[in-house]
Amino acid sequence: QCAERIPEAEAVLDLLEKCPEHPKKGGYPVIVFEGLDATGKTTVTQAVKDTLNGILLRSPPACISQWRTLFDDEPTPIKRAFYAAGNYILASEIAKASTQAPVIIDRYWHSTAAYTIATETKGKVQDLPPAQDEVYQWPEDLLKPDLVLLLTVDPDERVRRLQHRGLQKTKEEAELEANSLFRQRVEESYRRMVNPACQEVDATPSKEEVLKTVLQLIKKHCAF
């Protein structure tokens, strides 16, 4: 409906149409890293990729990520549709990559869902949909990872890291910093995800310690 006003929307839909409907995972494990900004996802995903000789993918995928800021300024339904479409485009990339090497992913469906739920819900954590609600379920038609690791950091430490980075904030990151209730809703939404659920990892210690913990979890849950 918005393709006339936003030509990029048509480009996203064209890419989506080219994706196979039910892409199948290859023989290598698929590991997703989730978490708020400044919890160490970039550092950890790169280190795991190097250690496992894996392939690193991100959401939104590279083929549409240049339009991210454009869609971030659109009304919520259009913005959410962009991120949801990105997951399905990413799924076809995962299917192909997982026939060649372990696949490490910086954000996937859980991020899209957690931020949507937290945005649509006003108020406190207890105002979120109940834990068994279907909003926390993985979509049946989306390629499923073998393991999802949720990196968490003490809120004060996360803010310190963000200030240290000095990067331009996304709208959602600015909201996370200004609104602790929003941050709590996002984190709790992550924790309520099922099928697959997130395995929580404290990312406060040194990079080396976090990597060691992560690799132990991968070894435990993924067959190599």
Side-chain angles (χ1 to χ4, degrees), residues 41-180:
K41 288 188 306 303
T42 305
T43 305
V44 174
T45 50
Q46 189 63 51
V48 173
K49 171 198 171 280
D50 293 345
T51 307
L52 302 182
N53 290 322
I55 295 168
L56 178 56
L57 299 173
R58 288 190 174 85
S59 177
C63 56
I64 64 167
S65 61
Q66 72 268 29
W67 302 318
R68 184 177 181 172
T69 49
L70 184 142
F71 283 95
D72 274 348
D73 286 334
E74 288 298 322
T76 301
I78 296 170
K79 175 182 170 180
R80 295 297 167 209
F82 168 76
Y83 284 101
N87 284 304
Y88 285 86
I89 295 166
L90 181 61
S92 66
E93 294 183 6
I94 296 165
K96 188 178 172 186
S98 61
T99 63
Q100 302 161 3
V103 182
I104 317 304
I105 309 167
D106 186 338
R107 290 193 167 169
Y108 193 19
W109 176 263
H110 283 351
S111 274
T112 307
Y115 279 86
T116 302
I117 295 162
T119 304
E120 295 299 313
T121 308
K122 299 296 177 257
K124 298 179 180 177
V125 165
Q126 47 265 48
D127 298 311
L128 287 168
Q132 283 74 36
D133 197 288
E134 63 182 3
V135 295
Y136 304 114
Q137 286 276 354
W138 190 270
E140 285 180 15
D141 60 346
L142 184 62
L143 187 146
K144 207 179 280 188
D146 295 289
L147 180 63
V148 182
L149 298 174
L150 173 64
L151 302 182
T152 59
V153 169
D154 172 78
D156 294 338
E157 168 64 12
R158 201 182 67 81
V159 170
R160 192 189 64 73
R161 289 183 187 185
L162 273 171
Q163 288 164 345
H164 181 68
R165 273 163 45 171
L167 299 175
Q168 189 181 355
K169 297 188 194 87
T170 62
K171 276 186 174 178
E172 275 168 345
E173 184 48 54
E175 172 78 356
L176 283 172
E177 203 168 311
N179 185 340
S180 65

Side-chain angles (χ1 to χ4, degrees), residues 16 139 161 211 219:
L16 194 57
R161 289 183 187 185
L211 179 61
K219 192 175 176 183

